[in-house]
Every structure is written in structure tokens, then in C-alpha cells.
Amino acid sequence: MITGLSLFCMILNCSVMSLWIYLLRTRTEYIPKYGFFVMKFLILSCIFRILIPFEIPGFRYSSVDVIFCSDAEKLLYSVLESSFSEEFFPFLFFLWISGSICYSTRLFVRSKKMLAFIEKNSYIADSRAKRILEEMDPDCPAVIRICPMITRSYLTGYLHLNIYLPEYHYDEEELYYIILHEYTHWKRKDIWKKALMIFCCIVIWWNPAIHFMRKEVSQLLEFECDKYLAENLSDEEVMNYLDTLLNCIRNAQCSLLDRSLDTFASFIGTSKIYMSKHRFQLLIGRNAESRRRIFPKAVPIILDMIWLINSYYFIPR
């Protein structure tokens, strides 16, 4: 059963969960120390709470006594707690669907124009880039193009795959690691994972928490891509990859075109200091022993499960 109160509680709880995920990722060294599993679990539980805003009949406890509420709070709770009437539900459903259609149409038109623009203002990369990609995987369908309008490398396209590189002078080693990064995104199907999050944003367009989760998933995919490709690299090669990553971060400028591409494309650079720091720490300590870190991993998961269950059980009234 969906009521105004259940939607209100969903937004409130997801906002708190989103804030917790943000603080855990940006204000601590959690990912470099303890890996991705906990962060993925927290993000998935928050997305689950967003997508399942129902109130479970018989599973509810009034956590606030109406006696201590002001008249305004009583009015708010009485309005929110009432079930949607047959007259109001079609209007709400129409508003929801209309918002999803408008959001998806705007996103599609903008991305179509943007991709057409960068394709028009780009050209096929030289034979070096093509040879490097073929040596990695001759079956990879990506076309490598150079675009002077961007400052970071991007992997775009679902059916017609393109790797766009900035118009910088790369030596052989830098070009290899940049293409390796984007190829790893393609191999891991990260662009489809971002598409899934975009779909969630289209469906739950009215909830700011899902848009925040989309950005968190995008950053998490960058972490996982780094770790995945580093598994087959030696320590010396990892340091060379980090040098390339550092150069990409220095060259990256958060232009309007770059911000638009970040929505649905996979990229190598990042402009936030804490993100760069965590990516470096993760790669440098990729072989660190983690068997003694079970407790720090378990605590956030247990707390998150308690919070998730209580978010359905304790309903303000």
C-alpha cells in the first residue's frame, strides 16, 4: 500500500542513507582500506528503499505520539497518512508518467545533440591507437576518435561504440593506459550499468536521492575499473598507470560539455581531490591483506540492515 506518509518516509530515510554513503566515501579512507563490497551493499539498499516505497500492512509502529505534535504537524500527518483516493491516484499517476516522459525526452535530445556535436568535431585517431586496441582485443568494436572539444577520455555508445580522446600529445605508454582504461569499462559493461541508473532516475525522477545515487554509482565504477585492470599489471606498470591517471586529472577541466558527457559516458579523469586520492590509495594498496578487516566491513552492513528494516517499521504519526 502506498500512502503519502510512506512516500514521505521513503524520501526522508533515503536522504539520510545518501548522506551516510557520501560521508563514508568522501570523509574516510573506507574504500581504499576495505574494498567495494560494503559500499555497493549500501548503495543497493538505498536504491531498494527508493524503488520500494510501500507501507507493509501490519508491520508498523507509531514512533511519534500525536499528543506532543503541533496542530500543523497533526494536519501534515493526517494528510500524508490517508490513502490515495480513487480520484487523486489517476492525477498522481499522470503527473508521475508525464514527468518521466519529459525527463527522458530531455535527456535523449540533449545526449543526441551532444554526441552529434562531438562526432562532427572529432576525427579518427592515428594508427597507433588502433594498433594498441587491436593488440588488447581484436574483437572490440570501438572506434577511437580525437575530439579537441573535450578534456577527458570517454567511452560512449551502446550499439556503436566510440572512445573519444582529448587532442593532447600522448606518448606510447600514456596512450596504452588510457585506451586500456576505456577498454576495461567496455569489458565490464559499465556503460550499461550507468544506463540502468539513468533508467531508475527516469522512473523515480522526483526523488533527489536517486540522482545522488547515480553519481555515487558512476564514481564506484571508476574505482572498480581501476582495480580490475590493475589485477593483471605489475607494480611497475601500476605506477606508470598512476602517472598517466595523474596527467589526465591535471588536464581535465570541468567544462559544460564534460559535465554533460559524465551523465552517461564512462571517463578516466576526475577533478575532485578526495576522489583522486582514494583512487591512488586503492591502486597502491591493492595487494594489502584484508582478512583481519571483517569487523569494519560487517558493522556498516549490520547498521544498514537495521536502518532499512526500521524505515518500514517505525512510521511517524
Side-chain angles (χ1 to χ4, degrees):
M1 180 177 64
I2 298 180
T3 66
L5 187 57
S6 66
L7 291 175
F8 173 78
C9 291
M10 179 269 287
I11 295 174
L12 179 63
N13 280 283
C14 289
S15 299
V16 175
M17 293 170 73
S18 300
L19 178 61
W20 184 29
I21 292 171
Y22 176 79
L23 293 176
L24 194 63
R25 181 177 63 82
T26 62
R27 299 295 183 262
T28 69
E29 311 300 326
Y30 200 90
I31 290 180
K33 286 183 178 179
Y34 306 117
F36 304 105
F37 177 76
V38 174
M39 196 58 61
K40 286 194 289 188
F41 184 88
L42 298 180
I43 291 175
L44 288 174
S45 66
C46 186
I47 294 174
F48 174 85
R49 187 64 179 90
I50 293 172
L51 297 178
I52 310 296
F54 306 103
E55 181 180 323
I56 304 174
F59 188 74
R60 170 175 169 171
Y61 175 80
S62 299
S63 57
V64 179
D65 195 335
V66 180
I67 298 176
F68 298 100
C69 293
S70 64
D71 293 337
E73 289 172 321
K74 292 178 182 178
L75 178 62
L76 173 64
Y77 292 140
S78 64
V79 172
L80 291 174
E81 191 175 14
S82 60
S83 299
F84 295 130
S85 64
E86 294 182 359
E87 295 79 12
F88 182 68
F89 185 80
F91 171 75
L92 179 66
F93 183 77
F94 173 78
L95 185 63
W96 191 327
I97 296 300
S98 299
S100 296
I101 293 174
C102 292
Y103 184 88
S104 59
T105 302
R106 176 176 172 271
L107 187 64
F108 176 79
V109 171
R110 188 182 67 175
S111 62
K112 195 76 174 177
K113 288 182 178 179
M114 181 178 49
L115 288 177
F117 175 78
I118 63 172
E119 185 174 358
K120 181 180 178 181
N121 291 276
S122 64
Y123 54 90
I124 301 294
D126 59 29
S127 58
R128 284 190 312 157
K130 184 178 180 180
R131 173 179 53 80
I132 290 173
L133 183 60
E134 287 180 348
E135 290 175 353
M136 289 180 189
D137 186 351
D139 296 326
C140 180
V143 176
I144 302 177
R145 304 178 66 90
I146 305 296
C147 180
M149 312 298 293
I150 59 177
T151 63
R152 292 180 281 187
S153 61
Y154 292 94
L155 173 70
T156 65
Y158 301 104
L159 301 177
H160 304 287
L161 202 66
N162 289 290
I163 295 176
Y164 288 97
L165 304 179
E167 195 177 41
Y168 298 140
H169 174 70
Y170 298 112
D171 59 35
E172 190 83 8
E173 185 177 77
E174 288 178 328
L175 190 60
Y176 169 79
Y177 287 120
I178 291 173
I179 295 175
L180 176 63
H181 181 94
E182 302 303 341
Y183 166 75
T184 304
H185 274 305
W186 170 76
K187 189 175 181 180
R188 286 172 33 84
K189 297 180 174 57
D190 286 341
I191 199 166
W192 288 100
K193 297 173 186 176
K194 296 188 80 169
L196 179 61
M197 284 305 303
I198 291 174
F199 175 76
C200 292
C201 291
I202 291 173
V203 175
I204 318 292
W205 57 270
W206 45 269
N207 190 341
I210 192 65
H211 299 281
F212 175 80
M213 284 296 103
R214 179 185 60 79
K215 295 179 181 179
E216 290 298 303
V217 169
S218 177
Q219 300 293 0
L220 189 62
L221 291 176
E222 290 301 312
F223 281 124
E224 290 192 308
C225 180
D226 287 341
K227 183 180 179 182
Y228 183 87
L229 68 85
E231 290 177 354
N232 298 318
L233 300 180
S234 65
D235 291 341
E236 182 180 355
E237 289 173 327
V238 168
M239 296 308 297
N240 293 334
Y241 173 74
L242 288 174
D243 287 337
T244 302
L245 181 62
L246 182 60
N247 290 333
C248 290
I249 293 172
R250 287 171 176 169
N251 293 329
Q253 301 173 9
C254 197
S255 65
L256 180 61
L257 184 59
D258 284 318
R259 287 197 298 269
S260 298
L261 280 168
D262 290 351
T263 302
F264 60 92
S266 297
F267 58 95
I268 189 173
T270 179
S271 58
K272 294 184 178 181
I273 295 177
Y274 63 80
M275 279 294 300
S276 306
K277 179 181 177 182
H278 287 182
R279 291 178 74 175
F280 275 67
Q281 289 176 334
L282 179 68
L283 288 172
I284 293 173
R286 72 191 196 284
N287 296 321
E289 181 64 45
S290 61
R291 287 179 296 180
R292 293 176 294 179
R293 297 172 177 170
I294 296 177
F295 182 75
K297 292 180 180 180
V299 170
I301 292 177
I302 294 172
L303 292 177
D304 184 70
M305 288 300 299
I306 294 174
W307 181 277
L308 183 63
I309 294 172
N310 287 341
S311 70
Y312 286 100
Y313 186 63
F314 290 98
I315 305 294
R317 199 172 189 176

